[in-house]
């Protein structure tokens, strides 16, 4: 299928950045100053140029297979949203290949059963991935707002529509069951971060941090795009420095 592209800048220990539904620039732009002290390696998942397109839609299992070879230098890994799923599967398969994991608002709904806010997030997220622009208009806009898209009351912006079409047909997040115990048992340092903008993601991140015995931080101010929130870059760097072994 061809290899995914990784764009590197900076110097110092490598930090592998794995985006979710939004592209690398939108997801990680606020971390650019860290390139003075770290090598920022921005992965472009399949379907995000210059990487090749996926064969049958976005798939976190395919992401995991793409990522394992990138662990050869034992990088720190920072992942966002859908991108967290592939990272966790890859890290569970090769926990010795990562120096640390920073996990930002992943859609791991199964960790919090029987909580209505989480169940709704799963349902509308799966509907958008399955039906794309044909999803219920109200639920589509709700999901896009939760995911940080600039959605008002008028027509959806062209880039937002393009993002929905790109996500259409993706493997549903409700199918993801990464082997979290393999990561916990390997004593991989983990930071779980959220943006304090919706209860569902706070529930999920609390549960994930508990399962992985992880550090936990909340950074309001940028919605789902937590990497752009005030204080996140500083908190991340403190965590990375504490995980250098």
């Amino acid at each position: 299928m061809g290899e995914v592209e990784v764009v590197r800048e900076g110097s110092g220990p490598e930090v592998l950045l794995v985006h979710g539904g939004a592209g690398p620039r939108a997801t990680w732009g606020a971390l650019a100053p860290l390139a003075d002290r770290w090598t920022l390696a921005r992965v472009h998942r399949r379907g995000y140029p210059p990487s090749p397109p996926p064969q049958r839609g976005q798939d976190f299992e395919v992401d995991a297979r793409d990522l394992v070879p990138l662990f050869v230098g034992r990088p720190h890994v920072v992942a966002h949203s859908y991108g967290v799923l592939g990272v966790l599967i890859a890290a569970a398969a090769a926990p010795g290949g990562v120096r640390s994991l920073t996990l930002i608002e992943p859609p791991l709904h199964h960790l919090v059963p029987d909580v209505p806010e989480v169940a709704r997030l799963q349902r509308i997220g799966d509907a958008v991935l399955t039906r794309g622009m044909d999803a219920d208009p109200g639920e589509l806009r709700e999901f896009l707002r939760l995911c940080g898209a600039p959605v008002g009351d008028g027509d959806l912006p062209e880039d937002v529509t393009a993002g929905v079409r790109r996500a259409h047909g993706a493997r549903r997040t409700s199918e993801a069951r990464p082997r979290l115990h393999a990561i916990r048992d390997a004593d991989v340092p983990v930071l779980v971060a959220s943006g304090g903008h919706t209860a569902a993601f706070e529930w999920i991140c609390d549960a994930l941090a508990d399962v992985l015995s992880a550090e936990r931080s909340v950074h309001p101010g940028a919605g789902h795009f937590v990497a752009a929130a005030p204080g996140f870059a500083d908190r991340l760097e403190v965590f990375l420095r504490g995980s250098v072994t």
Side-chain angles (χ1 to χ4, degrees), residues 50-139:
S51 288
Q55 289 186 329
R56 289 185 296 274
Q58 302 288 320
D59 188 329
F60 46 79
E61 294 281 359
V62 174
D63 288 343
R65 292 195 290 271
D66 288 333
L67 290 167
V68 168
L70 302 180
F71 293 173
V72 64
R74 198 165 175 253
H76 298 277
V77 182
V78 182
H80 180 248
S81 195
Y82 195 97
V84 174
L85 304 180
V87 163
L88 287 173
I89 294 168
V98 296
R99 198 172 299 274
S100 73
L101 294 172
T102 299
L103 312 172
I104 304 171
E105 295 202 348
L108 288 168
H109 315 95
H110 73 283
L111 295 179
V112 193
D114 304 321
V115 174
E117 296 93 334
V118 176
R120 179 170 179 79
L121 178 63
Q122 174 181 314
R123 183 176 65 77
I124 64 176
D126 280 355
V128 172
L129 295 183
T130 302
R131 303 186 61 197
M133 292 299 297
D134 292 329
D136 176 86
E139 292 185 349

Side-chain angles (χ1 to χ4, degrees), residues 11-226:
S11 59
E14 182 165 290
V15 181
L16 194 69
L17 303 172
V18 184
H19 66 91
R25 184 182 299 275
T27 305
W28 308 121
L31 299 184
L34 296 182
D36 291 341
R37 298 170 296 280
W38 306 84
T39 298
L40 301 181
R42 296 180 177 87
V43 177
H44 292 247
R45 295 172 50 240
R46 293 185 185 276
Y48 295 80
S51 288
Q55 289 186 329
R56 289 185 296 274
Q58 302 288 320
D59 188 329
F60 46 79
E61 294 281 359
V62 174
D63 288 343
R65 292 195 290 271
D66 288 333
L67 290 167
V68 168
L70 302 180
F71 293 173
V72 64
R74 198 165 175 253
H76 298 277
V77 182
V78 182
H80 180 248
S81 195
Y82 195 97
V84 174
L85 304 180
V87 163
L88 287 173
I89 294 168
V98 296
R99 198 172 299 274
S100 73
L101 294 172
T102 299
L103 312 172
I104 304 171
E105 295 202 348
L108 288 168
H109 315 95
H110 73 283
L111 295 179
V112 193
D114 304 321
V115 174
E117 296 93 334
V118 176
R120 179 170 179 79
L121 178 63
Q122 174 181 314
R123 183 176 65 77
I124 64 176
D126 280 355
V128 172
L129 295 183
T130 302
R131 303 186 61 197
M133 292 299 297
D134 292 329
D136 176 86
E139 292 185 349
L140 174 61
R141 287 178 180 271
E142 179 183 356
F143 180 73
L144 291 172
R145 290 190 181 102
L146 287 172
C147 292
V151 175
D153 296 327
D155 293 340
L156 295 177
E158 184 176 335
D159 60 336
V160 173
T161 299
V164 173
R165 297 190 190 284
R166 180 170 50 205
H168 186 192
R171 189 165 185 171
R172 296 181 302 170
T173 59
S174 58
E175 298 178 24
R177 294 293 188 277
R179 295 184 301 113
L180 300 177
H181 67 276
I183 297 170
R184 182 195 61 222
D185 293 348
D187 292 325
V188 177
V190 181
L191 171 65
V192 177
S194 60
H197 61 102
T198 183
F201 278 125
E202 297 305 310
W203 276 102
I204 291 170
C205 288
D206 286 347
L208 180 61
D210 184 59
V211 171
L212 293 176
S213 299
E215 297 183 31
R216 180 76 171 89
S217 64
V218 182
H219 303 273
H224 188 49
F225 288 95
V226 179

